[in-house]
Amino acid sequence: MSNETKLPWVSIDSFVGNQTDPSLTCHRPCPVCDSLRYRVLLEFKDFQFFSDAVESPKRTTVRNVQCLDCQAIYLNPCYSSVGFDYLFAEAGCSYGASEGRPLEQQSWLVARSLLNTGVNLLDIGCYDGRFLSQLPTNIRRIGVDIDAIAIANGLAQYGEADLELVHGAFESFTCPIQPDVITMFHVLEHLSNPLAVLRHLHNLSHADTKLVIEVPVIEFGNTNDINGFLSVQHMTHFSLNSLRQLLQRAGWLLLESQKIEGYNGYRVLVQPGEVRDAVLSNSGDLGLAHAYLAHWFTNLATVEKRIASCADVPRMVIWGGGMHSEFVYQITSLFRQNRKRQYIVVDSDPLKQGKSWRGLPIFSSKILSEMDWTECRLLVSSYGSQERMVTSALELGVPAEALVCLYDMIHVY
C-alpha cells in the first residue's frame, strides 16, 4: 500500500478557526504628500498570512491604493505593529538578497570611496548583521533593526567587538556616532512612515554624510510573478517620481541614481540638502499604474492556461506552504475549478511541517517519493524557488508529466 492512501487528503478551507482583528492594520495618510484622498487599485480580502491558527489572527484585508493628489501608490490600511507581530511571525528573514548580491553592493560602495578606512557606516534594516559582517573590518560597522530576536542572534554570532547592532524603531533609534555612510537596501518600501525615517536619518547625519537607498520602482515592475510589484510585504510602491519627491521632503539631495541590472532595484546616492516640502502631482504615475496592472493581468492569463490543464485532476499536492500559495488561492481558479478535489501541502521548511494552510496539512517533501502519481499532480507553488523544487521533485521520483509549473522564466532579487 502506498503512503498516498494513508495521507489525510482534505478539501480547501476545511479549517474553521482562522480569524482577523481590526488591530492588525491602521489607516494612514499618503506616505509621500500626507493627502487623505485615494482610489483603490487592488484589494485582497481575508488574505491569510502563512499557517492556520485558532489562537492568533492571521487574516486581514490587503488594499493597495493610489493618492489622488500626488499619485503615489501605497498600502492602506497598512500593518500596525501588532499586525507585524502576528502576520509576519512566520516570515523569518524573507527579504534577504540572493547569493552574490551583497558582493555587488559592496563593490558599488568601494567604487564610490564609501568604504574607506575609518568610515562610520550605519546599515538600516540590518536584520542579524550578515551584510555588515561581509564589509571590511577597517570601518566601524553599525546596524539597526526592529527585530529584537534578529539583533540578539547577530550579537551572539558575530560578537559586539566586530559589529554594533542596535534594536530600535527606524524613526527614533539612537545612534552612537554621526554616520559617514548610511545604507538602506530594500528597506524603505517596508516602512509605514518612510518620511519620518528619512528625516530622522537626516538629523543623525553631518553635512557630508552619504545615504544609499535601493528600492523597487514601478517603472521596472513588470514581472511574471503572480505576487507582482504590488507586493503584500511592501507598504509603499515607489515610482521614480514618488521616491524623488519623498527624498526632497526629507531634505536629501540626489547625487546619483541608477537601475541595477538583473532585478528590480533602483539605487540612489544622496546627501543632506535643502528641504522642499511641496509635492507636485504627476499624472504620469497614473498611467504607470494602468500599464502595470495591464501587464500583471496578462501574466495571470498565462498562469490560468496552465491551471486549466488541472481541471479534471482529483488529487493535487501543493509544494509550498507560504505566501505564493495564498496568491494562487486569491487570484487564480485553481481551488475553485474542482470543488471536490482533495489536497495536501509539502514544504521543505521544518517550521511549517505539522501545521496546515487553509485546512491543508503540511508534510515534508520526502513523502513525494512514496506516492502514486497516476491521478495526482504536483503544483510547484513558488516563484524564486521553482527551479530548485522541480529538481528536487524529479530526484524524489515525481514523473515530469505530473509536475505543474506556473512560470517559464524566473527573475529574483
Side-chain angles (χ1 to χ4, degrees), residues 81 107 184 251 328 357-358:
S81 58
S107 298
M184 293 183 71
V328 171
W357 167 77
R358 291 192 172 270

Side-chain angles (χ1 to χ4, degrees), residues 136-157:
T137 57
N138 59 354
I139 67 172
R140 186 172 180 180
R141 299 168 294 173
I142 306 168
V144 60
D145 204 280
I146 61 173
D147 191 330
I149 295 177
I151 291 295
N153 290 340
L155 289 173
Q157 180 175 357

Side-chain angles (χ1 to χ4, degrees), residues 16-85:
V16 292
N18 288 310
Q19 58 182 302
T20 186
D21 191 291
S23 66
L24 296 176
T25 59
C26 55
H27 284 269
R28 61 171 173 163
C30 171
V32 175
C33 76
D34 296 326
S35 171
L36 298 176
R37 305 190 318 128
Y38 62 83
R39 68 184 183 113
V40 177
L41 286 182
L42 192 65
E43 180 177 277
F44 303 115
K45 293 184 178 179
D46 289 324
F47 194 98
Q48 181 167 319
F49 286 75
F50 309 104
S51 65
D52 296 322
V54 174
E55 70 283 358
S56 58
K58 291 289 196 74
R59 291 183 180 178
T60 191
T61 294
V62 176
R63 181 185 301 122
N64 289 294
V65 306
Q66 185 166 34
C67 177
L68 290 175
D69 290 310
C70 77
Q71 317 308 323
I73 303 172
Y74 57 101
L75 202 67
N76 200 29
C78 66
Y79 310 116
S80 65
S81 58
V82 173
F84 267 113
D85 289 342

Side-chain angles (χ1 to χ4, degrees), residues 129-329:
R130 60 188 63 181
F131 169 68
L132 287 172
S133 70
Q134 300 179 48
L135 298 182
T137 57
N138 59 354
I139 67 172
R140 186 172 180 180
R141 299 168 294 173
I142 306 168
V144 60
D145 204 280
I146 61 173
D147 191 330
I149 295 177
I151 291 295
N153 290 340
L155 289 173
Q157 180 175 357
Y158 302 113
E160 296 183 28
D162 291 327
L163 300 181
E164 300 173 62
L165 303 181
V166 178
H167 171 242
F170 295 139
E171 63 270 24
S172 60
F173 72 94
T174 300
C175 188
I177 48 86
Q178 277 192 310
D180 303 309
V181 177
I182 306 173
T183 55
M184 293 183 71
F185 291 112
H186 289 263
V187 173
L188 197 66
E189 66 268 28
H190 295 282
L191 308 181
S192 62
N193 193 342
L195 179 61
V197 174
L198 289 174
R199 284 177 171 171
H200 181 57
L201 296 180
H202 189 281
N203 291 336
L204 292 176
S205 301
H206 56 70
D208 294 320
T209 294
K210 300 298 185 294
L211 168 62
V212 181
I213 296 176
E214 185 175 296
V215 297
V217 292
I218 194 170
E219 282 86 348
F220 312 118
N222 286 348
T223 174
N224 58 331
D225 183 358
I226 61 173
N227 185 331
F229 174 74
L230 301 182
S231 169
V232 300
Q233 295 103 322
H234 296 172
M235 304 274 243
T236 307
H237 310 293
F238 288 105
S239 69
L240 297 176
N241 175 69
S242 62
L243 177 61
R244 177 181 57 82
Q245 299 217 64
L246 183 68
L247 290 169
Q248 289 176 349
R249 285 197 71 194
W252 291 98
L253 174 67
L254 182 64
L255 301 176
E256 180 184 348
S257 62
Q258 71 176 97
K259 165 72 171 68
I260 305 301
E261 296 304 319
Y263 66 100
N264 189 355
Y266 187 74
R267 194 174 295 169
V268 298
L269 177 64
V270 297
Q271 70 179 22
E274 179 184 358
V275 174
R276 296 173 57 185
D277 207 41
V279 177
L280 302 177
S281 178
N282 183 1
S283 59
D285 278 10
L286 183 62
L288 285 172
H290 290 153
Y292 164 73
L293 289 173
H295 178 88
W296 184 68
F297 279 112
T298 297
N299 279 288
L300 290 188
T302 300
V303 168
E304 276 295 335
K305 291 179 181 178
R306 302 196 172 195
I307 286 175
S309 66
C310 304
D312 297 326
V313 175
R315 285 181 171 177
M316 178 170 286
V317 181
I318 310 296
W319 190 334
M323 197 166 286
H324 188 275
S325 292
E326 181 66 20
F327 268 98
V328 171
Y329 177 91

